[in-house]
Amino acid sequence: VIEAHKAELWSGPGTVPLVVVIADSLVLSKTEVKQLINQGAVELNGQTLKGWEYEIKSGDTLKVGKGKFIQVK
């Protein structure tokens, strides 16, 4: 089963922290998101993340676990 989610960034300059985008899109706590990232279960634009200090911008694609995708608008 594949789940597709869309995250819309609020208007304004800059980027949004990775943990916030995933937590808000998948209704997880920030701690749960950090655990998933530390376990290597999160990819940003096809690259496995090694830490959780990333910023997300419009157009990015996140994969969380085996079948959850987030398209950032």
Side-chain angles (χ1 to χ4, degrees):
V1 174
I2 295 176
E3 294 180 37
H5 301 267
K6 292 188 180 185
E8 293 200 29
L9 303 180
W10 57 82
S11 60
T15 56
V16 179
L18 168 76
V19 173
V20 172
V21 172
I22 297 173
D24 289 350
S25 297
L26 300 180
V27 192
L28 299 171
S29 71
K30 290 178 185 173
T31 301
E32 290 173 306
V33 173
K34 289 176 183 178
Q35 289 172 346
L36 287 169
I37 293 169
N38 289 336
Q39 293 168 5
V42 178
E43 293 180 9
L44 173 61
N45 298 324
Q47 299 293 319
T48 301
L49 301 180
K50 303 294 180 191
W52 42 272
E53 296 290 331
Y54 288 86
E55 298 289 317
I56 300 300
K57 62 188 180 315
S58 182
D60 285 341
T61 301
L62 292 158
K63 179 181 176 189
V64 182
K66 291 186 177 182
K68 296 179 183 171
F69 292 87
I70 302 168
Q71 179 66 48
V72 182
K73 289 190 168 201

